Amino acid sequence: MKGKQFVHPYIPNSEPAVKKEMLDAIGMESVEGIYKGIPDHLRFKGEMELPDPIISEYSLQRHVEGLLSQNRNAKNNICFLGGGTWNHYVPSVVDTIMERDEFLTCYVGDAYTDHGKFQALFESSSMIGDLTGFEACCTPTYDWANAIAIACRMAERTTGKKEILVAGNMSPDRLLIVVNYCKPEMKITKVGYDKETGLMDMNDLKAKLSDQVACVYFENPTYVGSLEEQAADIVKAAHAAGALAMVGVDPTSLGILEAPAAYGADYAVGDLQPLGLHMSYGGGVGGFIATKDDKEFLGEYPSLLYGLCETRQEGEYGFGEVFYERTSYASREKGKDFIGTTTALHGIAAAVYMALMGPQGFKEMGEGILQRVAYTKKHLAEIPGVEFPVKGCSYCDFLVDFNGTGKSVKEINKALLEYNILGGKDMSQEFPEYGQSALYSVTEVHTKEDLQALFDALKKICA
């Protein structure tokens, strides 16, 4: 291609006439003018070593599919990865409805282009409210971490205080995003936890609570695989100090665990991913924030809220935005916070999933997961050198300690690939206090045969 001007079939702007027309429109002679603001020492010198373009669409498709086939996925491997994105079953009707034109192409549609999107999101929020015990829930945020961060800023505005206490056993990735989102105005302080139980250290919590604390955040189930049995006590301690309480939840667990609102929490946050969303390389995700139906909470949401409104037709209802003026869409720089395109489509998928499951479905799934986890722990404990550093009951995720085997998690996971098994998440960097431990996840998709394959493989690898 050297010496010739190539027009890429998949990049229309590479056509000379089109490129010139665009440059003329912005008053530049060449593409170099676009990059002149970048300091010279940051500019790449030379040519990038890229392969020649594949002109044939058929050949290109085969090439890309060949690259993708090198990935190990949860369809042709038994997957035990969790910790924020879980391998749950997604009914085919969820994808069918989510991909309908009126939802898939209705980008932030207003009432006249809505075609049912407002109602679908209202129903989604309502069902999240049923699970968490709250009356109000916003349209989806980017993910769970973003939901925590937004709710922290909501709590800061509600209380006028600048410090947030967070559980030390929370996901480090989520914590990093919260710290980044809330700086520099707010202070994020970690509260210690008990290494053996995985539960929050109540003495440390009480020592760090003060009249400057806006909110206390903790997760149940916890990231390290325990169930936070002290949830009600944490909320009570926060309220006694004049602070609000926020709980991070796996929504699928709420078919068997107490709803956060029932033990007095002020916020519930979490991710929609377990509710009918495929894992998709760490996605798809979408956070939610649920609160009480009080103006002091509703007025601080920066995101969209949908509610019922009456119409001229008796007995007929419409669906509209609540307190729209508080958003940056309506008030621009005077908005409560700044939000952009998020994951409303995933909220619609979650609505379909929750409607299909119903209360009994969530209860049965939760009980089945608890049984599978207990069964898995029982049989893993029979393997020499394998232990469980966090005691007590677990839901989906639980820590497996391989220190006694003399092998690292990295070595074990590499060996498991030979058996077409994706092992647990290596926790040796995030929580070094547990040494060579991995976070395993067991859900309703794991059969007895899947679990037996794991037991047999680990017995050989750890021998």
Side-chain angles (χ1 to χ4, degrees), residues 107-118:
Y107 172 78
V108 194
D110 215 325
Y112 48 85
T113 61
D114 170 49
H115 302 301
K117 181 171 70 71
F118 280 20

Side-chain angles (χ1 to χ4, degrees), residues 149 152-153 177-188:
C152 285
R153 294 178 70 92
I177 291 170
V178 172
V179 171
N180 189 53
Y181 198 91
C182 293
K183 68 182 183 185
E185 300 95 340
M186 300 169 65
K187 178 183 178 183
I188 309 296

Side-chain angles (χ1 to χ4, degrees), residues 146-368:
N146 186 227
I148 303 168
I150 290 173
C152 285
R153 294 178 70 92
M154 289 169 62
E156 182 266 333
R157 291 192 295 269
T158 298
T159 63
K161 302 173 182 178
K162 300 291 185 180
E163 185 176 9
I164 305 290
L165 300 185
V166 300
N169 57 13
M170 74 178 287
S171 161
D173 284 343
R174 289 196 281 270
L175 176 59
L176 185 64
I177 291 170
V178 172
V179 171
N180 189 53
Y181 198 91
C182 293
K183 68 182 183 185
E185 300 95 340
M186 300 169 65
K187 178 183 178 183
I188 309 296
T189 303
K190 290 172 66 173
V191 176
Y193 70 100
D194 186 286
K195 181 182 173 182
E196 292 188 2
T197 64
L199 306 180
M200 182 179 282
D201 184 333
M202 292 300 294
N203 290 329
D204 192 39
L205 171 64
K206 292 174 181 177
K208 290 175 177 174
L209 279 167
S210 71
D211 58 6
Q212 297 303 308
V213 174
C215 189
V216 176
Y217 171 76
F218 64 98
E219 297 176 349
N220 189 28
T222 72
Y223 182 67
V224 297
S226 58
L227 297 182
E228 186 50 85
E229 301 170 359
Q230 308 167 127
D233 295 331
I234 295 171
V235 171
K236 186 177 179 180
H239 288 170
L244 299 171
M246 186 194 316
V247 188
V249 298
D250 173 349
T252 66
S253 72
L254 297 176
I256 53 171
L257 298 183
E258 188 73 273
Y263 50 82
D266 301 291
Y267 306 90
V269 297
D271 209 296
L272 298 174
Q273 189 277 324
L275 304 177
L277 298 176
H278 297 282
M279 292 188 289
S280 304
Y281 302 93
V285 293
F288 63 83
I289 305 169
T291 62
K292 306 168 186 176
D293 186 15
D294 295 337
K295 192 170 182 178
E296 64 176 313
F297 292 102
L298 294 185
E300 298 306 333
Y301 273 102
S303 45
L304 297 176
L305 294 165
Y306 290 113
L308 284 171
C309 54
E310 295 183 356
T311 66
R312 293 181 180 180
Q313 181 70 36
E314 185 176 350
E316 184 179 275
Y317 293 90
F319 303 87
E321 288 130 340
V322 178
F323 290 137
Y324 183 65
E325 65 276 4
R326 74 199 139 57
T327 68
S328 57
Y329 294 123
S331 300
R332 312 309 295 172
E333 71 277 4
K334 295 182 180 179
K336 293 291 185 179
D337 212 326
F338 291 92
I339 56 171
T341 305
T342 50
T343 51
L345 185 62
H346 288 168
I348 294 173
V352 178
Y353 180 88
M354 289 185 283
L356 286 169
M357 290 289 287
Q360 186 62 26
F362 275 102
K363 180 175 182 292
E364 291 176 3
M365 179 173 67
E367 290 174 345

